[in-house]
Amino acid sequence: MEGANILVVDDDKEIANALDKLLTMEGFKVMKAFNGLEALDALVQHDIQLILLDVMMPKLDGLSTTLKIREEKNIPIIIISAKSEDSDKILGLSMGADDYITKPFNPDELVARVKSQLRRYITLGNIGNVTNDSQIVVGGLNLNKESKQLFVYGNPIRLTPTEYKILDFLMTNAGMVFSSEQIYEKVWKEPAYSVENTVMVHIRRIREKIEITPKEPKYLKVVWGIGYKIEKL
């Protein structure tokens, strides 16, 4: 993690320089860009492991830059913005950012979030889906099978035992659609009779815990008339 290349993108040069100094002191290698177009150029020229990205910038704003980056790369993007409304955070995260920090920020918190995102990225690599004996990863979801713990974009999420079993089953088989009956028999270990409502309630609760916008889910989706699936990213 130490020595990782971080790209700081902010049109305010004082903030960019302050972030450069802070992250350099932590052992990171820092490159700077002052608008979205410069950021895209830097990504072509350098091997970047994480981006700190302002939103309001000339030429190409931070959200548009995030969308462009996500067309090709899965590297961590942390948005740093003076916009602190929940709607702004939801928009940034739904555009593809991994985290959102509001200005003014606590330097220690920023460094901790940077290290958390780098740890996840370096451990998993530039891969959208990973499955092995100890963990299942689908995008920003990381289900640790040893500790029975779910992390969503690096943040621990509390699941009930039944919710864990459902998510384990669906994430293990990401991209496959299962009916309510199939899920019930796999998780509850008993024959399924009129179980649609029971499964639906648990699916809704899981979605509320893992989705940024539960009514427009990115991961846990319903296939109408058939069943449910975890989207394979």
Side-chain angles (χ1 to χ4, degrees), residues 61-210:
D61 65 79
L63 297 181
S64 299
T65 303
T66 297
L67 287 174
K68 286 286 187 182
I69 294 169
R70 284 292 176 252
E71 290 177 2
E72 298 183 359
K73 296 182 180 291
N74 196 37
I75 58 176
I77 299 174
I78 300 177
I79 288 180
I80 303 179
S81 174
K83 294 186 173 183
S84 59
E85 296 294 328
D86 286 343
S87 58
D88 296 313
K89 296 178 183 179
I90 290 170
L91 179 60
L93 293 169
S94 64
M95 289 287 194
D98 297 282
D99 203 351
Y100 193 109
I101 300 174
T102 55
K103 300 177 183 177
F105 51 82
N106 180 300
D108 292 335
E109 179 185 357
L110 183 140
V111 169
R113 294 196 184 196
V114 164
K115 289 181 177 179
S116 174
Q117 290 296 333
L118 279 171
R119 186 160 48 246
R120 182 176 67 85
Y121 179 70
I122 292 171
T123 299
L124 303 178
N126 191 20
I127 301 173
N129 301 279
V130 175
T131 301
N132 55 44
D133 290 340
S134 62
Q135 66 179 344
I136 311 170
V137 179
V138 178
L141 307 181
N142 186 328
L143 194 68
N144 189 303
K145 302 180 76 170
E146 294 178 348
S147 65
K148 310 296 184 186
Q149 176 69 63
L150 172 69
F151 296 89
V152 178
Y153 297 106
N155 299 310
I157 301 297
R158 187 185 296 274
L159 296 174
T160 68
T162 300
E163 290 168 352
Y164 174 86
K165 291 175 184 177
I166 293 172
L167 202 52
D168 184 6
F169 176 54
L170 293 178
M171 287 180 66
T172 299
N173 299 282
M176 297 179 63
V177 181
F178 296 94
S179 67
S180 296
E181 290 79 9
Q182 289 174 308
I183 294 171
Y184 187 90
E185 291 181 353
K186 180 68 176 180
V187 172
W188 277 265
K189 306 293 185 184
E190 59 186 48
Y193 300 106
S194 301
V195 298
E196 289 83 0
N197 287 339
T198 299
V199 173
M200 181 182 65
V201 168
H202 284 85
I203 291 291
R204 185 178 69 243
R205 289 174 179 168
I206 294 170
R207 189 178 282 157
E208 289 171 351
K209 293 181 179 182
I210 70 172

Side-chain angles (χ1 to χ4, degrees), residues 18-58:
L19 288 169
D20 183 356
K21 183 177 179 180
L22 173 66
L23 295 168
T24 299
M25 290 174 60
E26 294 291 329
F28 299 115
K29 296 178 182 177
V30 179
M31 279 153 269
K32 291 178 286 186
F34 302 106
N35 61 61
L37 293 179
E38 289 183 7
L40 296 178
D41 287 340
L43 285 170
V44 173
Q45 298 175 26
H46 303 283
D47 181 22
I48 304 296
Q49 279 83 50
L50 182 140
I51 304 172
L52 289 169
L53 184 64
D54 185 28
V55 173
M56 302 299 292
M57 294 184 297

